[in-house]
């Protein structure tokens, strides 16, 4: 989008979308718009973006929802097992249901310094988690392309990050 710079200061977004929020994943009780034109984003992708997803959707459809869900449960089960062995003794709490039928393809671990740990994982360990306020590290384990060794490596890198504190 383009808006002449002299018109931007008075510009206000009437539709509050999470993409236009200053801290997108905070999802707090109040809307805090991002500075500048970024506040105009509402969360609906453009037609070009949607068209680019078509090939991915076809690959996922061929793989089948059953096999993908089965792998998702196995990936998250491995992450929970590694959590129990490596992270629980280091003061983490599991923020995800233990029952695989009650969780999606992610595992959240909780600790008071989660925001700092997320930043360090991205900057130093080549792991890209989500931080969720107030204290959660959310690890997405997409079954179409996440390998079991990726789960092992990611959890091990989190373990190494906390041991270096």
């Amino acid at each position: 989008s383009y808006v002449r710079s002299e018109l931007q200061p008075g510009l206000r977004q009437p539709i509050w979308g999470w993409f236009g929020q200053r801290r997108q994943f905070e999802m707090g009780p109040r809307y805090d718009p991002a500075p500048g034109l970024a506040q105009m984003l509402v969360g609906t992708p453009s037609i070009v973006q949607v068209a680019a997803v078509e090939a991915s959707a076809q690959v996922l459809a061929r793989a089948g929802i059953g096999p993908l869900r089965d792998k998702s449960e196995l990936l998250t089960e491995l992450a929970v097992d590694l959590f129990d062995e490596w992270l629980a003794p280091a003061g983490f709490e599991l923020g995800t249901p233990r029952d695989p039928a009650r969780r999606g393809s992610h595992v959240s671990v909780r600790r008071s310094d989660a925001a700092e740990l997320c930043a360090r994982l991205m900057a130093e360990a080549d792991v890209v988690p989500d931080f969720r306020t107030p204290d959660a590290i959310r690890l997405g384990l997409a079954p179409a392309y996440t390998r079991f060794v990726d789960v092992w490596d990611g959890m091990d890198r989190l373990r190494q990050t906390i041991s270096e504190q």
Side-chain angles (χ1 to χ4, degrees), residues 42-61:
V42 293
T44 303
S46 71
I47 292 170
V48 173
Q49 290 171 316
V50 172
V53 169
E54 185 175 358
S56 298
Q58 290 173 355
V59 169
L60 295 174

Side-chain angles (χ1 to χ4, degrees), residues 65-118:
I65 193 71
L68 289 170
R69 179 63 185 149
D70 291 345
K71 185 177 177 193
S72 166
E73 289 183 3
L74 292 170
L75 289 167
T76 58
E77 194 66 35
L78 174 59
V80 169
D81 289 347
L82 294 173
F83 163 84
D84 288 337
E85 186 174 337
W86 295 342
L87 302 181
F92 282 86
E93 293 179 24
L94 187 63
T96 299
R98 286 192 174 272
D99 178 2
R102 295 190 57 227
R103 65 177 175 247
S105 293
H106 69 270
V107 171
S108 291
V109 297
R110 300 176 65 195
R111 200 166 97 159
S112 62
D113 59 347
E116 175 194 338
L117 288 171
C118 271

Side-chain angles (χ1 to χ4, degrees), residues 133-156:
T133 58
D135 61 358
I137 299 170
R138 181 179 172 270
L139 303 164
L141 309 175
Y145 52 83
T146 302
R147 304 170 302 165
F148 293 95
V149 69
D150 297 329
V151 174
W152 178 278
D153 289 347
M155 296 295 281
D156 187 47

Side-chain angles (χ1 to χ4, degrees), residues 6-63:
E6 63 269 13
L7 298 175
Q8 290 180 21
L11 197 60
R12 289 174 34 112
Q13 170 59 288
I15 302 170
W16 294 351
W18 70 294
F19 273 69
Q21 186 160 281
R22 184 180 310 268
R23 285 178 292 282
Q24 186 178 59
F25 293 105
E26 190 168 293
M27 299 180 194
R30 290 189 166 64
Y31 177 73
D32 181 20
L37 287 181
Q39 70 180 279
M40 302 308 282
L41 299 171
V42 293
T44 303
S46 71
I47 292 170
V48 173
Q49 290 171 316
V50 172
V53 169
E54 185 175 358
S56 298
Q58 290 173 355
V59 169
L60 295 174
R62 280 194 302 271

